[in-house]
Amino acid sequence: MDQDQSIPVNHDDFIHDIAYNFYGSRLATCGSDRCIKIWDWNRQTGLWILNESIGAHDSSIVRLSWAHPEFGQVLASCSLDCTVRIWVEQETNMKNSSMRWRGLMPLGDSKAAVHSIAFAPEYSSLSIATGSSDGKVRLYSPTDPVRLSNWTVNCMIDFVPGGATDADGPLCVSWCKSRFSSPHMLVVGGSKHKNVKIYQLLSNVFVELLELAQYDSHVLDIDWAPTMGRSYHLIATACADGHIRIYKFWSDPSLAKTHLSDSLFVYDGDSDDNKDDANMKALDTSRHPDDASASSDEASDDTDDSEDSVDDEDSEDSISADDDDDDNDGTDSDPDRSSSASGGGLYASDPDRRGRQRGRPSAPRSELASDIAVQPSVPIRRIRWNSSGTLLVSSSDDGVVRMWRMTASGTWREVAA
């Protein structure tokens, strides 16, 4: 699978989306011919074999999404016919028999085209979020998780109060994939106001956490990157003005104080010169252990002398401290200062941390990490992160697929096209 291959998908019109399953062993394609085609990868031949061709909707199919395999082989599709459909594989039926994939009842709650769908992460229950041009995000889940039947709307986000239409542009959704940060977070962007917001699902109600940005052009796609050990989240947006914007987001701002750089093993503030000096010292010590031992003995003697002087100073300080205690009657007029001094360490001057210790939650925050202007300036239709959140792939109206990677200096550059 590491070689370039051309798959004769044989769609009769434009292809709007492709989607790999969790393992990358199955591929689904859809297009304006109203068909979904599902392909299986053959390990022996290294070729993609057609599993089924499904006449799925009454209009163009614009997006596909696979559920996590622990829920079975479940595929969702959305279309300009204002519906969402769920497809479940029937493994007892023959491939290419038109009965291999069973379609459930269409979900037709939207009054406008549905442009975006995304299954919730596997740590959550089986559910799917849909974004439609009427300005609403709906969260569906089945009442029967075994047969996957009777999907109903659990909750809804009124992203555009007063509603919107197809002319106002698409509405895009993407889930946070991390189970270790604040759970059940969803980013929504696009439609009439051309803004991006982050929500969190709490007790079957979506609560707005933060407005990430507001643009002068339509938001055409959005994707939340896997965290993979970072102290922050990365969210990328694709816009009609030809720009890709990447944001850093902290659900807990205190994590931004950890001084972790974009590398998991390099600390901010450690210059290359300091690292080289430390490496040279370690190398000299390994080459001349006798000198290192002698230096250690000298340091020990200096420490003994300093301890004697410290003891004398401590005795004087204790007398002074007793006098101060008598003047203050054993009380401290500034408890914050005393707790900060006694705590010390990395979070000594972090007001967010002290606020959490007193029971006040910290407010999420974000910052623009990069604004990439794609040349030539054409609308960016799709963006996707890789499984580690280190590589971003985009496709645009000029028919070019580009790959972007962050450099050591923190800037993003094109590495392939």
Side-chain angles (χ1 to χ4, degrees):
M1 292 183 64
D2 57 347
Q3 297 180 354
D4 295 337
Q5 293 186 15
S6 177
I7 305 174
V9 292
N10 296 325
H11 279 279
D12 297 331
D13 210 327
F14 290 113
I15 298 175
H16 291 295
D17 197 21
I18 62 174
Y20 286 93
N21 69 346
F22 180 80
Y23 299 109
S25 59
R26 178 166 279 178
L27 176 68
T29 62
C30 66
S32 293
D33 58 359
R34 301 172 294 174
C35 289
I36 298 174
K37 296 193 177 185
I38 301 174
W39 307 80
D40 294 329
W41 183 62
N42 190 303
R43 292 181 179 273
Q44 284 71 32
T45 63
L47 301 176
W48 290 92
I49 308 301
L50 183 64
N51 177 297
E52 188 73 281
S53 181
I54 309 169
H57 287 267
D58 296 331
S59 186
S60 298
I61 305 171
V62 294
R63 194 65 65 91
L64 300 169
S65 179
W66 289 95
H68 192 271
E70 71 177 62
F71 302 111
Q73 293 298 310
V74 182
L75 177 69
S77 60
C78 65
S79 171
L80 299 183
D81 63 4
C82 309
T83 64
V84 176
R85 298 206 66 177
I86 310 295
W87 307 89
V88 183
E89 185 179 21
Q90 310 297 304
E91 296 183 356
T92 57
N93 295 334
M94 295 290 294
K95 294 182 179 180
N96 290 308
S97 63
S98 301
M99 300 178 63
R100 179 77 176 186
W101 291 81
R102 176 173 62 94
L104 306 181
M105 287 296 295
L107 309 178
D109 298 279
S110 174
K111 303 304 180 184
V114 183
H115 287 277
S116 182
I117 52 175
F119 275 104
E122 69 276 8
Y123 62 81
S124 178
S125 59
L126 180 61
S127 57
I128 186 171
T130 68
S132 55
S133 294
D134 60 1
K136 292 178 173 57
V137 176
R138 297 172 176 85
L139 183 67
Y140 292 90
S141 61
T143 56
D144 186 352
V146 177
R147 300 182 58 189
L148 303 180
S149 60
N150 193 21
W151 291 68
T152 58
V153 179
N154 279 350
C155 55
M156 185 172 62
I157 300 174
D158 193 8
F159 189 74
V160 181
T165 63
D166 291 332
D168 294 321
L171 194 61
C172 311
V173 298
S174 181
W175 288 95
C176 171
K177 284 82 173 175
S178 173
R179 70 174 68 195
F180 301 110
S181 60
S182 301
H184 309 297
M185 290 190 296
L186 181 74
V187 60
V188 185
S191 195
K192 180 187 297 185
H193 300 308
K194 305 170 185 175
N195 55 351
V196 179
K197 295 182 179 180
I198 297 175
Y199 295 85
Q200 185 174 12
L201 183 61
L202 299 172
S203 302
N204 284 334
V205 176
F206 276 108
V207 178
E208 181 181 338
L209 296 182
L210 181 72
E211 181 171 5
L212 202 62
Q214 190 164 8
Y215 304 136
D216 295 328
S217 61
H218 288 297
V219 180
L220 303 181
D221 199 13
I222 193 166
D223 198 28
W224 196 314
T227 54
M228 296 300 290
R230 285 189 294 265
S231 60
Y232 54 86
H233 298 271
L234 287 176
I235 299 173
T237 62
C239 299
D241 59 0
H243 282 247
I244 300 173
R245 296 172 177 90
I246 302 174
Y247 295 87
K248 289 182 178 180
F249 169 70
W250 291 268
S251 57
D252 185 354
S254 66
L255 295 178
K257 308 291 185 179
T258 56
H259 304 290
L260 282 174
S261 70
D262 295 320
S263 171
L264 296 179
F265 308 104
V266 179
Y267 288 90
D268 287 345
D270 286 348
S271 65
D272 294 336
D273 295 337
N274 292 337
K275 296 172 192 172
D276 292 340
D277 292 341
N279 292 336
M280 290 301 296
K281 289 179 181 179
L283 183 60
D284 291 339
T285 302
S286 63
R287 289 179 177 176
H288 307 286
D290 295 338
D291 295 343
S293 176
S295 300
S296 177
D297 293 339
E298 293 176 0
S300 177
D301 294 339
D302 294 340
T303 302
D304 293 338
D305 295 339
S306 63
E307 288 178 352
D308 293 339
S309 61
V310 169
D311 290 339
D312 295 338
E313 294 176 359
D314 288 344
S315 61
E316 296 176 0
D317 293 342
S318 63
I319 296 174
S320 176
D322 292 339
D323 295 339
D324 293 340
D325 291 341
D326 293 339
D327 295 337
N328 296 331
D329 295 331
T331 60
D332 192 345
S333 59
D334 191 354
D336 286 345
R337 179 173 56 83
S338 62
S339 63
S340 175
S342 61
L346 193 60
Y347 296 97
S349 60
D350 182 6
D352 289 334
R353 183 175 186 269
R354 292 204 301 270
R356 290 197 315 278
Q357 289 176 344
R358 296 170 183 162
R360 298 197 303 267
S362 301
R365 74 177 185 89
S366 66
E367 66 180 37
L368 179 63
S370 182
D371 187 348
I372 304 171
V374 179
Q375 297 297 332
S377 181
V378 292
I380 311 299
R381 295 292 175 179
R382 291 286 187 271
I383 49 173
R384 283 296 177 269
W385 293 97
N386 67 341
S387 58
S388 60
T390 57
L391 187 71
L392 183 65
V393 181
S394 67
S395 63
S396 50
D397 278 1
D398 59 357
V400 179
V401 176
R402 297 175 175 88
M403 296 184 183
W404 310 86
R405 187 185 295 275
M406 186 174 63
T407 64
S409 61
T411 60
W412 290 79
R413 66 182 181 88
E414 182 180 332
V415 295

